[in-house]
Amino acid sequence: MESIDKINPVFDRRSQDNKESSVPSAVIKRLPRYHRYLNDLLDSGRLRISSAELSKIMNVTASQIRQDLNCFGGFGQQGYGYNIKYLTAKISELLGVSEGYDAVIVGAGNLGRALASTRMFGRRGVNRLALFDIDEKVVGTEIYGIKVYHTDELFEFCQRHKIAIGVLTVPKEAAYTVAKTLQDAGVRGIWNFANMELKMDDSVVVENIHLGDSLMTLCYKIKEKNDLSEEE
Amino acid sequence: MESIDKINPVFDRRSQDNKESSVPSAVIKRLPRYHRYLNDLLDSGRLRISSAELSKIMNVTASQIRQDLNCFGGFGQQGYGYNIKYLTAKISELLGVSEGYDAVIVGAGNLGRALASTRMFGRRGVNRLALFDIDEKVVGTEIYGIKVYHTDELFEFCQRHKIAIGVLTVPKEAAYTVAKTLQDAGVRGIWNFANMELKMDDSVVVENIHLGDSLMTLCYKIKEKNDLSEEE
DNA sequence: TAGATTGTTAATCGATTAACAATC
DNA sequence: TAGATTGTTAATCGATTAACAATC
């Protein structure tokens, strides 16, 4: 009884006073990766794991894992390790997964379609309510069960449905106009796939995806490895 | 004449001795972003820029810009600033852009199609030579001018064309098999969009894209902003 | 109890910022 | 020359690692 209380404490030790202000941004950046690995472990039926074993799987130091997990409450147990299910739930909660946000996807091109088809949203508790495009050929159709509306209706739709997340897969040139519409309609976050950094005012948070940067990094890694082996 | 030599020095000061080992990884991570902004400035016709002005545009400190750019050779000019064209070229070179790598895309689903259609590859000097899929309905067709072959032919194709980059947009389950095939065929880098971390041996470098992590981060940012405003 | 493993402190390391002398 | 702006050093800050006492 006592030990179960310690594994699933009703209150985290730190949550009383200084709240999430105590979680350094370096840790926040690592949380999705922890979540991914812990979720896989959960799926495989594991119940508990030690920082030492997790460190091997994830290729980081055990010290870092303990330090990280301790930032938002000590819920490991000495001599036992971490309860995977509880830990995963805790990280989910911290990340705002399963808040049940509603989303729209603007742009029904290949990328928009890819995002319409993926199970990624559902797994993170995000509901895709509609697609938007300006192409009359797709407006009115359904893509993977999601209705396509004309972008002219975007503002009203977002306002009426209190949409929280707007996914932007429109061409660079249209990005700002659409982003502004989303913002005005009260959207709280924009997931931006246009090839530019959207700078919005403080009412909206933006997460920019730069696939080009990633491709460049890959090129760098290849070149670097090549340079190193040539040196020998 | 003298000043031009200083702006375009034939040898960078550091490149003689300790090479890229001197460029910290934190700087490397920032290079694609510098490249993006400098490229935009170049397109807009600007010739030179100071660290102070660039810092305003990019929202980082001028100190960091000077420190970063100095890691791989001092090519600013006191009292003048940086030559945008030269700087962009230098960063491109360092990143391995325009090495003219050949690539294949494995998986001709929505994401594969999106990657087949984008101009992102060309801009970074990467040539897409072929698409691969197991679906007989698409094998033999052309998508945005790129031929689709059966995945059975992947190994031979990569070997014959000395493919440098393999782009993975196959389902999670197929990812490892395909990655192994690419590796065996001599591919040097894998751009992995499957929802899992590919751990390959040292002969191949991997750049993993985790869109799910990014979506989670967005959810976190929304939640965090909410929590903060509720506190007041 | 004894063994295992965390939570936590202290030491190290690296990255960022501030400041200013060097120099175009 | 004088003004501007870099390159570079030194100071600060934050993140990572190592070590071990606390504790299950």
Side-chain angles (χ1 to χ4, degrees):
Chain A
M1 186 55 181
E2 206 180 282
S3 64
I4 290 199
D5 270 359
K6 279 294 167 63
I7 295 178
N8 290 339
V10 180
F11 298 107
D12 299 337
R13 287 184 213 162
R14 341 221 118 185
S15 64
Q16 272 100 333
D17 37 290
N18 44 345
K19 289 202 167 183
E20 26 275 300
S21 56
S22 61
V23 182
S25 67
V27 177
I28 296 292
K29 273 190 215 129
R30 284 191 288 265
L31 288 183
R33 186 158 183 266
Y34 282 123
H35 190 271
R36 215 165 352 101
Y37 275 91
L38 289 168
N39 219 53
D40 287 352
L41 285 164
L42 202 58
D43 285 348
S44 75
R46 286 286 302 268
L47 294 178
R48 67 181 212 188
I49 195 158
S50 70
S51 59
E53 194 185 350
L54 190 57
S55 85
K56 270 186 211 148
I57 301 174
M58 294 187 60
N59 219 26
V60 293
T61 63
S63 211
Q64 179 165 81
I65 291 175
R66 291 202 297 279
Q67 194 79 273
D68 282 359
L69 298 184
N70 222 233
C71 287
F72 45 101
F75 35 69
Q77 192 179 61
Q78 279 100 331
Y80 172 94
Y82 297 87
N83 176 315
I84 295 174
K85 192 171 180 179
Y86 177 64
L87 189 52
T88 310
K90 205 67 205 168
I91 294 178
S92 297
E93 191 195 313
L94 204 93
L95 283 172
V97 169
S98 310
E99 293 270 310
Y101 295 130
D102 287 327
V104 296
I105 300 172
V106 191
N110 286 308
L111 188 54
R113 277 156 198 275
L115 293 171
S117 75
T118 174
R119 267 164 283 119
M120 187 171 58
F121 288 87
R123 284 206 205 95
R124 283 156 190 89
V126 177
N127 317 304
R128 286 153 299 179
L129 261 50
L131 273 156
F132 290 86
D133 206 295
I134 51 168
D135 184 352
E136 296 292 354
K137 282 197 289 288
V138 292
V139 170
T141 65
E142 261 192 25
I143 296 175
Y144 299 101
I146 304 171
K147 273 203 182 131
V148 186
Y149 298 89
H150 195 283
T151 309
D152 288 346
E153 302 177 59
L154 181 61
F155 178 82
E156 213 222 310
F157 188 97
C158 290
Q159 221 175 27
R160 192 169 63 242
H161 293 274
K162 299 209 192 317
I163 297 297
I165 295 175
V167 184
L168 233 64
T169 73
V170 299
K172 206 172 172 170
E173 304 75 41
Y176 255 110
T177 317
V178 175
K180 190 74 175 55
T181 305
L182 290 168
Q183 178 186 282
D184 292 344
V187 161
R188 288 149 72 193
I190 294 178
W191 202 19
N192 175 34
F193 287 80
N195 278 318
M196 42 115 64
E197 272 167 58
L198 275 182
K199 278 168 199 157
M200 309 298 287
D201 69 47
D202 286 350
S203 67
V204 195
V205 294
V206 180
E207 172 78 9
N208 294 300
I209 292 273
H210 288 288
L211 292 182
D213 287 9
S214 173
L215 179 57
M216 265 189 179
T217 304
L218 180 65
C219 289
Y220 171 79
K221 285 181 183 172
I222 293 174
K223 184 178 167 290
E224 188 198 28
K225 203 164 123 346
N226 219 34
D227 290 352
L228 285 176
S229 55
E230 267 171 13
E231 253 167 48
E232 283 150 30
Chain B
M1 186 55 179
E2 208 181 281
S3 66
I4 291 200
D5 269 2
K6 278 293 167 62
I7 296 179
N8 290 340
V10 180
F11 297 108
D12 300 336
R13 289 186 211 160
R14 343 221 117 185
S15 64
Q16 270 99 334
D17 38 287
N18 44 344
K19 288 204 169 181
E20 26 275 299
S21 55
S22 61
V23 182
S25 68
V27 177
I28 297 293
K29 271 189 218 132
R30 283 192 289 264
L31 288 183
R33 188 159 182 264
Y34 282 123
H35 190 271
R36 215 167 349 102
Y37 275 92
L38 289 168
N39 219 53
D40 287 351
L41 284 164
L42 201 58
D43 285 348
S44 75
R46 285 288 301 267
L47 293 178
R48 68 181 210 187
I49 195 160
S50 70
S51 59
E53 194 184 350
L54 191 57
S55 86
K56 269 185 212 148
I57 301 173
M58 294 187 61
N59 219 27
V60 294
T61 63
S63 209
Q64 179 166 82
I65 291 175
R66 291 203 297 279
Q67 194 81 274
D68 282 0
L69 298 184
N70 222 230
C71 287
F72 46 98
F75 35 68
Q77 193 179 60
Q78 279 100 333
Y80 172 94
Y82 297 88
N83 176 314
I84 295 174
K85 192 172 181 179
Y86 177 64
L87 189 52
T88 311
K90 206 66 205 168
I91 295 178
S92 297
E93 190 196 314
L94 204 95
L95 283 172
V97 169
S98 309
E99 293 268 312
Y101 294 131
D102 286 327
V104 296
I105 300 171
V106 191
N110 286 308
L111 188 54
R113 278 157 197 273
L115 293 171
S117 75
T118 174
R119 267 164 283 120
M120 186 170 59
F121 288 87
R123 284 206 205 95
R124 283 155 190 91
V126 178
N127 317 305
R128 286 154 299 179
L129 261 52
L131 272 156
F132 289 85
D133 207 295
I134 51 168
D135 183 352
E136 297 291 355
K137 283 197 288 290
V138 291
V139 170
T141 65
E142 261 192 23
I143 295 175
Y144 298 101
I146 304 172
K147 273 203 182 134
V148 185
Y149 298 89
H150 195 282
T151 307
D152 288 348
E153 302 177 57
L154 181 62
F155 178 81
E156 213 221 311
F157 187 97
C158 290
Q159 220 174 28
R160 191 169 64 243
H161 293 275
K162 300 208 192 317
I163 296 298
I165 296 174
V167 184
L168 233 65
T169 73
V170 299
K172 206 172 172 171
E173 305 73 43
Y176 254 110
T177 317
V178 175
K180 190 73 176 55
T181 305
L182 290 168
Q183 178 186 283
D184 291 344
V187 161
R188 290 149 71 194
I190 293 177
W191 202 20
N192 175 33
F193 286 80
N195 278 320
M196 41 114 64
E197 271 165 60
L198 275 181
K199 277 170 201 156
M200 309 298 287
D201 68 47
D202 286 349
S203 67
V204 196
V205 294
V206 180
E207 171 78 8
N208 294 300
I209 292 273
H210 288 290
L211 292 183
D213 287 9
S214 172
L215 179 57
M216 264 190 182
T217 303
L218 179 64
C219 289
Y220 172 79
K221 286 181 183 172
I222 293 174
K223 184 179 167 289
E224 188 197 27
K225 201 165 122 349
N226 220 35
D227 289 353
L228 285 177
S229 54
E230 267 171 15
E231 254 168 47
E232 285 152 28

